[in-house]
Amino acid sequence: TTTTATMETTVKERKASPTLTREFRHQYLRWLRVAPKSTNMSTIFSNHSHVHNTSSNTFNVTKKSRSSRSSLARNAVVDLAAGTAGAIVSVYIGQPMDTVKVKMQAFPTIHRTMFRCLVTTYRKEGIRGLYAGTVPALAANIAENSVLFAAYGLCQKAVAHVATAQGPEELSSLGNATAGFFAAFFSSLTICPTELVKCRLQAMMELQEIKNVSVNNNKLGPWSVTRDIFRNEGLAGFFCGLSSTFAREMPGYFFFFGGYELTRSLLAKQGETKDDIGLVNTFISGGVAGVTLWTAMFPTDVIKSRIQVLGLKETMMAVATDIYRTEGVLAFYNGLWPSIIRTFPATGLLLVTYEMVKKHLTESFT
């Protein structure tokens, strides 16, 4: 039988844990009402210890949950920053050829070859003409790549969970491609308005020739084009070509991330992980991924460019049908060569920058 002194000592000890005192007092009062004097109090104390242990375990689980959420947010910020850095490098490397690509897509009768388009643009507009739309291109690429890589990291974790993999590093190339497919949905929402402004700036000279108007190009810029779109078409006008952007981005980034991860795996030596292949092999992997991306999504990119540059109100399928009937199948690949020439170095450097910044920031946070 537990003595009164022992009980008082136990009560004092339990006061050290205020959150458990109420539970202990409840058990003690219940014992005073129903327990015979011969009852051993060790059972009650044992039960109370069990409550204390359960509470401790619950606290530990909660702590781990908070730590997991903090880690998830930190990884998203790292991916966001790394994607932004990679986008800036990519734009300045590839902007001239991107301008040539858009002009060839939107005005195939004016610019029949890549070389002629490049020379004509340089003669009429100078180096500034080749870098037309750089500001919205920066905004578009920073928005797209920061959101894309942040969403890609989260989608990797979601796909790994569904596939019962231990983590994103255990995903196959198909799993990474699937994560890229879903991540591109979110980046499409950010890139559509900025791509619209960029494409119209790049094709401004040809639009003036078609409409037979003369405008001082020095007064034309991203803000004036943005203002004109808002005045004439409203807020919805910025999402002109959104359906074709979805159709371009989601399948395109399925092949992009699938090709990137597969190439990294093939270039990794025996006993070496994909993260240890070095900058040169990472550059090659990025270049292959970029070529795969543009080859896969180029037909829908042609449709998107026509819709956005010319401000067409027809559906994506109607525009595609009209291009096929009037210009043939090859029209869907008009401007592919400048895209491939641009994308290999631009995407290679994008992913090298992304991996370097991500590695540096991850090490800084740990």
Side-chain angles (χ1 to χ4, degrees):
T1 304
T2 304
T3 63
T4 303
T6 306
M7 175 58 68
E8 291 176 352
T9 302
T10 306
V11 171
K12 290 178 181 179
E13 291 174 352
R14 293 303 184 247
K15 287 181 179 178
S17 301
T19 56
L20 302 177
T21 302
R22 183 180 299 176
E23 178 66 25
F24 173 75
R25 185 164 57 246
H26 174 72
Q27 293 188 44
Y28 175 59
L29 293 174
R30 185 174 60 186
W31 174 80
L32 289 177
R33 287 196 303 269
V34 301
K37 290 184 178 181
S38 60
T39 301
N40 195 323
M41 284 290 290
S42 62
T43 303
I44 293 178
F45 299 147
S46 175
N47 291 338
H48 187 72
S49 297
H50 174 70
V51 172
H52 177 75
N53 292 336
T54 303
S55 300
S56 299
N57 291 337
T58 303
F59 174 77
N60 290 334
V61 170
T62 304
K63 189 175 180 180
K64 288 180 180 178
S65 177
R66 289 175 181 171
S67 176
S68 176
R69 287 197 297 269
S70 176
S71 176
L72 197 65
R74 184 173 63 249
N75 290 339
V77 170
V78 168
D79 285 328
L80 196 74
T84 300
I88 294 171
V89 174
S90 175
V91 168
Y92 281 106
I93 293 295
Q95 185 65 12
M97 282 300 175
D98 185 68
T99 298
V100 173
K101 184 250 320 176
V102 171
K103 288 176 180 288
M104 291 182 69
Q105 288 177 330
F107 307 103
T109 56
I110 299 176
H111 303 292
R112 296 186 180 277
T113 66
M114 178 185 71
F115 182 74
R116 180 181 295 179
C117 180
L118 186 66
V119 172
T120 302
T121 302
Y122 180 74
R123 284 178 178 173
K124 290 186 176 182
E125 304 177 64
I127 195 71
R128 180 178 177 178
L130 292 172
Y131 276 92
T134 299
V135 172
L138 275 172
N141 278 270
I142 289 172
E144 179 188 25
N145 286 293
S146 58
V147 172
L148 177 68
F149 283 105
Y152 178 59
L154 296 174
C155 289
Q156 276 184 310
K157 292 178 175 63
V159 172
H161 177 73
V162 173
T164 64
Q166 293 183 355
E169 62 279 355
E170 300 293 329
L171 284 177
S172 64
S173 298
L174 179 61
N176 286 304
T178 304
F181 176 84
F182 288 111
F185 172 84
F186 301 100
S187 63
S188 297
L189 296 171
T190 62
I191 196 176
C192 186
T194 48
E195 273 272 308
L196 174 68
V197 176
K198 176 186 76 73
C199 287
R200 291 195 180 178
L201 274 172
Q202 288 173 320
M204 189 60 66
M205 182 186 70
E206 289 78 7
L207 286 172
Q208 291 174 21
E209 290 178 359
I210 289 175
K211 296 178 181 179
N212 196 24
V213 295
S214 179
V215 180
N216 186 356
N217 287 335
N218 292 325
K219 295 183 179 179
L220 288 175
W223 305 120
S224 60
V225 172
T226 301
R227 186 175 59 251
D228 289 342
I229 293 172
F230 184 73
R231 285 177 178 174
N232 298 327
E233 305 172 51
L235 190 61
F238 290 103
F239 291 92
C240 175
L242 180 60
S243 59
S244 54
T245 301
F246 281 131
R248 181 189 78 160
E249 297 287 298
M250 295 179 73
Y253 279 103
F254 175 89
F255 290 102
F256 177 83
F257 283 108
Y260 176 59
E261 298 295 345
L262 179 61
T263 307
R264 290 175 77 201
S265 299
L266 294 174
L267 292 176
K269 298 176 182 178
Q270 188 173 3
E272 187 180 58
T273 65
K274 293 186 292 185
D275 296 328
D276 300 324
I277 61 175
L279 295 181
V280 174
N281 285 336
T282 300
F283 176 83
I284 294 171
S285 300
V288 171
V291 172
T292 306
L293 166 77
W294 280 102
T295 303
M297 73 180 191
F298 207 80
T300 49
D301 188 61
V302 171
I303 298 168
K304 181 194 76 68
S305 293
R306 296 280 181 97
I307 292 173
Q308 291 188 323
V309 170
L310 302 176
L312 302 178
K313 302 300 181 183
E314 291 88 347
T315 64
M316 184 179 73
M317 289 303 298
V319 174
T321 302
D322 181 65
I323 293 173
Y324 175 72
R325 287 176 177 174
T326 57
E327 302 173 49
V329 177
L330 292 180
F332 289 106
Y333 288 93
N334 196 28
L336 178 61
W337 278 113
S339 291
I340 291 178
I341 293 171
R342 170 186 71 94
T343 197
F344 198 97
T347 310
L349 287 172
L350 183 154
L351 287 165
V352 165
T353 305
Y354 169 77
E355 295 290 354
M356 288 177 63
V357 173
K358 181 179 178 180
K359 183 179 180 180
H360 176 72
L361 290 177
T362 301
E363 291 174 351
S364 299
F365 279 123
T366 55

mmCIF file of all heavy atoms in Angstrom, residues 64-82 146 149-151 153-155 157 358 361-362 365:
data_model
loop_
_atom_site.group_PDB
_atom_site.id
_atom_site.type_symbol
_atom_site.label_atom_id
_atom_site.label_comp_id
_atom_site.label_asym_id
_atom_site.label_seq_id
_atom_site.Cartn_x
_atom_site.Cartn_y
_atom_site.Cartn_z
ATOM 1 N N LYS A 64 8.958 16.750 -35.772
ATOM 2 C CA LYS A 64 9.449 16.234 -37.054
ATOM 3 C C LYS A 64 8.625 16.779 -38.207
ATOM 4 O O LYS A 64 9.147 17.080 -39.276
ATOM 5 C CB LYS A 64 9.416 14.706 -37.050
ATOM 6 C CG LYS A 64 10.472 14.071 -36.158
ATOM 7 C CD LYS A 64 10.371 12.561 -36.208
ATOM 8 C CE LYS A 64 11.430 11.906 -35.306
ATOM 9 N NZ LYS A 64 11.321 10.439 -35.312
ATOM 10 N N SER A 65 7.288 16.895 -37.983
ATOM 11 C CA SER A 65 6.411 17.412 -39.029
ATOM 12 C C SER A 65 6.760 18.854 -39.369
ATOM 13 O O SER A 65 6.817 19.242 -40.534
ATOM 14 C CB SER A 65 4.947 17.314 -38.568
ATOM 15 O OG SER A 65 4.088 17.862 -39.530
ATOM 16 N N ARG A 66 7.021 19.653 -38.312
ATOM 17 C CA ARG A 66 7.403 21.042 -38.539
ATOM 18 C C ARG A 66 8.740 21.130 -39.275
ATOM 19 O O ARG A 66 8.933 21.956 -40.168
ATOM 20 C CB ARG A 66 7.499 21.779 -37.211
ATOM 21 C CG ARG A 66 6.142 22.028 -36.549
ATOM 22 C CD ARG A 66 6.321 22.657 -35.183
ATOM 23 N NE ARG A 66 5.037 22.874 -34.530
ATOM 24 C CZ ARG A 66 4.901 23.258 -33.266
ATOM 25 N NH1 ARG A 66 5.992 23.458 -32.522
ATOM 26 N NH2 ARG A 66 3.708 23.450 -32.744
ATOM 27 N N SER A 67 9.667 20.248 -38.894
ATOM 28 C CA SER A 67 10.980 20.229 -39.544
ATOM 29 C C SER A 67 10.851 19.855 -41.011
ATOM 30 O O SER A 67 11.533 20.403 -41.872
ATOM 31 C CB SER A 67 11.896 19.245 -38.821
ATOM 32 O OG SER A 67 13.137 19.136 -39.477
ATOM 33 N N SER A 68 9.931 18.899 -41.314
ATOM 34 C CA SER A 68 9.722 18.472 -42.698
ATOM 35 C C SER A 68 9.153 19.608 -43.538
ATOM 36 O O SER A 68 9.583 19.831 -44.670
ATOM 37 C CB SER A 68 8.771 17.266 -42.718
ATOM 38 O OG SER A 68 8.489 16.890 -44.037
ATOM 39 N N ARG A 69 8.188 20.352 -42.959
ATOM 40 C CA ARG A 69 7.611 21.485 -43.691
ATOM 41 C C ARG A 69 8.647 22.570 -43.924
ATOM 42 O O ARG A 69 8.699 23.193 -44.978
ATOM 43 C CB ARG A 69 6.406 22.039 -42.918
ATOM 44 C CG ARG A 69 5.173 21.151 -42.961
ATOM 45 C CD ARG A 69 3.940 21.923 -42.543
ATOM 46 N NE ARG A 69 4.016 22.397 -41.173
ATOM 47 C CZ ARG A 69 3.579 21.729 -40.111
ATOM 48 N NH1 ARG A 69 3.038 20.524 -40.274
ATOM 49 N NH2 ARG A 69 3.669 22.236 -38.900
ATOM 50 N N SER A 70 9.494 22.800 -42.919
ATOM 51 C CA SER A 70 10.547 23.801 -43.057
ATOM 52 C C SER A 70 11.533 23.403 -44.149
ATOM 53 O O SER A 70 11.975 24.231 -44.942
ATOM 54 C CB SER A 70 11.278 23.968 -41.725
ATOM 55 O OG SER A 70 12.358 24.853 -41.842
ATOM 56 N N SER A 71 11.882 22.112 -44.200
ATOM 57 C CA SER A 71 12.801 21.621 -45.222
ATOM 58 C C SER A 71 12.194 21.748 -46.616
ATOM 59 O O SER A 71 12.879 22.116 -47.574
ATOM 60 C CB SER A 71 13.149 20.155 -44.941
ATOM 61 O OG SER A 71 13.953 19.621 -45.963
ATOM 62 N N LEU A 72 10.890 21.479 -46.727
ATOM 63 C CA LEU A 72 10.193 21.579 -48.008
ATOM 64 C C LEU A 72 10.200 23.018 -48.507
ATOM 65 O O LEU A 72 10.473 23.281 -49.687
ATOM 66 C CB LEU A 72 8.747 21.088 -47.845
ATOM 67 C CG LEU A 72 7.974 20.732 -49.118
ATOM 68 C CD1 LEU A 72 8.607 19.535 -49.807
ATOM 69 C CD2 LEU A 72 6.516 20.443 -48.784
ATOM 70 N N ALA A 73 9.933 23.969 -47.604
ATOM 71 C CA ALA A 73 9.933 25.382 -47.980
ATOM 72 C C ALA A 73 11.336 25.844 -48.369
ATOM 73 O O ALA A 73 11.509 26.596 -49.342
ATOM 74 C CB ALA A 73 9.405 26.227 -46.821
ATOM 75 N N ARG A 74 12.344 25.377 -47.635
ATOM 76 C CA ARG A 74 13.723 25.755 -47.938
ATOM 77 C C ARG A 74 14.139 25.242 -49.314
ATOM 78 O O ARG A 74 14.765 25.973 -50.093
ATOM 79 C CB ARG A 74 14.662 25.215 -46.867
ATOM 80 C CG ARG A 74 16.113 25.648 -47.060
ATOM 81 C CD ARG A 74 16.994 25.243 -45.895
ATOM 82 N NE ARG A 74 17.068 23.804 -45.746
ATOM 83 C CZ ARG A 74 16.537 23.119 -44.743
ATOM 84 N NH1 ARG A 74 15.893 23.747 -43.777
ATOM 85 N NH2 ARG A 74 16.642 21.803 -44.665
ATOM 86 N N ASN A 75 13.777 24.004 -49.619
ATOM 87 C CA ASN A 75 14.120 23.439 -50.930
ATOM 88 C C ASN A 75 13.433 24.195 -52.063
ATOM 89 O O ASN A 75 14.017 24.395 -53.135
ATOM 90 C CB ASN A 75 13.721 21.960 -50.979
ATOM 91 C CG ASN A 75 14.602 21.099 -50.091
ATOM 92 O OD1 ASN A 75 15.719 21.489 -49.737
ATOM 93 N ND2 ASN A 75 14.104 19.937 -49.703
ATOM 94 N N ALA A 76 12.178 24.623 -51.821
ATOM 95 C CA ALA A 76 11.450 25.378 -52.842
ATOM 96 C C ALA A 76 12.124 26.721 -53.102
ATOM 97 O O ALA A 76 12.242 27.158 -54.252
ATOM 98 C CB ALA A 76 9.997 25.588 -52.409
ATOM 99 N N VAL A 77 12.591 27.380 -52.045
ATOM 100 C CA VAL A 77 13.281 28.669 -52.193
ATOM 101 C C VAL A 77 14.601 28.483 -52.948
ATOM 102 O O VAL A 77 14.952 29.290 -53.816
ATOM 103 C CB VAL A 77 13.534 29.307 -50.810
ATOM 104 C CG1 VAL A 77 14.456 30.515 -50.939
ATOM 105 C CG2 VAL A 77 12.221 29.719 -50.169
ATOM 106 N N VAL A 78 15.323 27.420 -52.642
ATOM 107 C CA VAL A 78 16.588 27.130 -53.327
ATOM 108 C C VAL A 78 16.339 26.897 -54.818
ATOM 109 O O VAL A 78 17.044 27.436 -55.681
ATOM 110 C CB VAL A 78 17.279 25.906 -52.694
ATOM 111 C CG1 VAL A 78 18.431 25.420 -53.573
ATOM 112 C CG2 VAL A 78 17.801 26.248 -51.307
ATOM 113 N N ASP A 79 15.326 26.089 -55.146
ATOM 114 C CA ASP A 79 14.988 25.826 -56.550
ATOM 115 C C ASP A 79 14.573 27.106 -57.259
ATOM 116 O O ASP A 79 14.903 27.330 -58.431
ATOM 117 C CB ASP A 79 13.855 24.792 -56.637
ATOM 118 C CG ASP A 79 14.332 23.379 -56.329
ATOM 119 O OD1 ASP A 79 15.499 23.074 -56.634
ATOM 120 O OD2 ASP A 79 13.553 22.587 -55.781
ATOM 121 N N LEU A 80 13.837 27.970 -56.548
ATOM 122 C CA LEU A 80 13.377 29.238 -57.112
ATOM 123 C C LEU A 80 14.569 30.131 -57.470
ATOM 124 O O LEU A 80 14.655 30.677 -58.570
ATOM 125 C CB LEU A 80 12.474 29.942 -56.107
ATOM 126 C CG LEU A 80 11.593 31.087 -56.617
ATOM 127 C CD1 LEU A 80 10.433 30.541 -57.436
ATOM 128 C CD2 LEU A 80 11.059 31.899 -55.446
ATOM 129 N N ALA A 81 15.511 30.258 -56.535
ATOM 130 C CA ALA A 81 16.682 31.111 -56.750
ATOM 131 C C ALA A 81 17.577 30.552 -57.853
ATOM 132 O O ALA A 81 18.084 31.298 -58.713
ATOM 133 C CB ALA A 81 17.471 31.253 -55.450
ATOM 134 N N ALA A 82 17.788 29.246 -57.844
ATOM 135 C CA ALA A 82 18.648 28.618 -58.858
ATOM 136 C C ALA A 82 18.031 28.734 -60.249
ATOM 137 O O ALA A 82 18.728 28.993 -61.239
ATOM 138 C CB ALA A 82 18.892 27.153 -58.503
ATOM 139 N N SER A 146 11.899 30.020 -62.635
ATOM 140 C CA SER A 146 11.836 29.996 -61.178
ATOM 141 C C SER A 146 10.634 29.186 -60.719
ATOM 142 O O SER A 146 10.747 28.324 -59.835
ATOM 143 C CB SER A 146 11.775 31.426 -60.624
ATOM 144 O OG SER A 146 10.665 32.122 -61.139
ATOM 145 N N PHE A 149 11.149 25.280 -61.883
ATOM 146 C CA PHE A 149 12.045 24.449 -61.085
ATOM 147 C C PHE A 149 11.550 24.290 -59.655
ATOM 148 O O PHE A 149 11.754 23.236 -59.040
ATOM 149 C CB PHE A 149 13.460 25.025 -61.116
ATOM 150 C CG PHE A 149 14.192 24.736 -62.399
ATOM 151 C CD1 PHE A 149 14.373 25.727 -63.355
ATOM 152 C CD2 PHE A 149 14.683 23.474 -62.665
ATOM 153 C CE1 PHE A 149 15.046 25.467 -64.537
ATOM 154 C CE2 PHE A 149 15.352 23.192 -63.844
ATOM 155 C CZ PHE A 149 15.534 24.194 -64.794
ATOM 156 N N ALA A 150 10.890 25.330 -59.120
ATOM 157 C CA ALA A 150 10.296 25.191 -57.790
ATOM 158 C C ALA A 150 9.171 24.152 -57.824
ATOM 159 O O ALA A 150 9.088 23.272 -56.949
ATOM 160 C CB ALA A 150 9.776 26.532 -57.293
ATOM 161 N N ALA A 151 8.305 24.251 -58.847
ATOM 162 C CA ALA A 151 7.211 23.284 -58.987
ATOM 163 C C ALA A 151 7.744 21.891 -59.311
ATOM 164 O O ALA A 151 7.187 20.880 -58.855
ATOM 165 C CB ALA A 151 6.247 23.743 -60.075
ATOM 166 N N GLY A 153 10.554 20.506 -58.280
ATOM 167 C CA GLY A 153 10.999 19.863 -57.044
ATOM 168 C C GLY A 153 9.835 19.319 -56.240
ATOM 169 O O GLY A 153 9.891 18.193 -55.707
ATOM 170 N N LEU A 154 8.738 20.090 -56.157
ATOM 171 C CA LEU A 154 7.558 19.637 -55.418
ATOM 172 C C LEU A 154 6.869 18.475 -56.136
ATOM 173 O O LEU A 154 6.413 17.527 -55.488
ATOM 174 C CB LEU A 154 6.584 20.803 -55.235
ATOM 175 C CG LEU A 154 7.092 21.981 -54.389
ATOM 176 C CD1 LEU A 154 6.091 23.132 -54.414
ATOM 177 C CD2 LEU A 154 7.343 21.531 -52.942
ATOM 178 N N CYS A 155 6.782 18.574 -57.468
ATOM 179 C CA CYS A 155 6.144 17.500 -58.245
ATOM 180 C C CYS A 155 6.966 16.209 -58.185
ATOM 181 O O CYS A 155 6.404 15.107 -58.220
ATOM 182 C CB CYS A 155 5.944 17.934 -59.696
ATOM 183 S SG CYS A 155 4.670 19.195 -59.910
ATOM 184 N N LYS A 157 8.597 15.172 -55.577
ATOM 185 C CA LYS A 157 8.233 14.563 -54.287
ATOM 186 C C LYS A 157 6.858 13.912 -54.365
ATOM 187 O O LYS A 157 6.642 12.828 -53.813
ATOM 188 C CB LYS A 157 8.271 15.619 -53.180
ATOM 189 C CG LYS A 157 9.683 16.131 -52.860
ATOM 190 C CD LYS A 157 9.655 17.207 -51.799
ATOM 191 C CE LYS A 157 11.075 17.627 -51.400
ATOM 192 N NZ LYS A 157 11.824 18.220 -52.507
ATOM 193 N N LYS A 358 22.169 25.847 -57.022
ATOM 194 C CA LYS A 358 21.425 24.976 -56.118
ATOM 195 C C LYS A 358 22.361 24.268 -55.138
ATOM 196 O O LYS A 358 22.086 24.202 -53.926
ATOM 197 C CB LYS A 358 20.651 23.925 -56.933
ATOM 198 C CG LYS A 358 19.810 22.981 -56.074
ATOM 199 C CD LYS A 358 19.050 21.994 -56.932
ATOM 200 C CE LYS A 358 18.245 21.030 -56.063
ATOM 201 N NZ LYS A 358 17.485 20.052 -56.885
ATOM 202 N N LEU A 361 23.717 26.927 -52.577
ATOM 203 C CA LEU A 361 22.711 27.344 -51.593
ATOM 204 C C LEU A 361 22.362 26.222 -50.631
ATOM 205 O O LEU A 361 22.145 26.447 -49.444
ATOM 206 C CB LEU A 361 21.453 27.828 -52.331
ATOM 207 C CG LEU A 361 21.582 29.146 -53.089
ATOM 208 C CD1 LEU A 361 20.285 29.474 -53.825
ATOM 209 C CD2 LEU A 361 21.961 30.289 -52.163
ATOM 210 N N THR A 362 22.289 24.997 -51.166
ATOM 211 C CA THR A 362 21.987 23.851 -50.294
ATOM 212 C C THR A 362 23.070 23.665 -49.239
ATOM 213 O O THR A 362 22.777 23.419 -48.050
ATOM 214 C CB THR A 362 21.850 22.574 -51.139
ATOM 215 O OG1 THR A 362 20.812 22.757 -52.108
ATOM 216 C CG2 THR A 362 21.486 21.383 -50.256
ATOM 217 N N PHE A 365 22.772 26.361 -46.518
ATOM 218 C CA PHE A 365 21.677 26.192 -45.569
ATOM 219 C C PHE A 365 21.927 25.066 -44.584
ATOM 220 O O PHE A 365 21.303 25.014 -43.522
ATOM 221 C CB PHE A 365 20.353 25.937 -46.316
ATOM 222 C CG PHE A 365 19.709 27.187 -46.831
ATOM 223 C CD1 PHE A 365 19.415 27.329 -48.173
ATOM 224 C CD2 PHE A 365 19.400 28.234 -45.971
ATOM 225 C CE1 PHE A 365 18.811 28.483 -48.666
ATOM 226 C CE2 PHE A 365 18.806 29.389 -46.451
ATOM 227 C CZ PHE A 365 18.514 29.509 -47.801
#
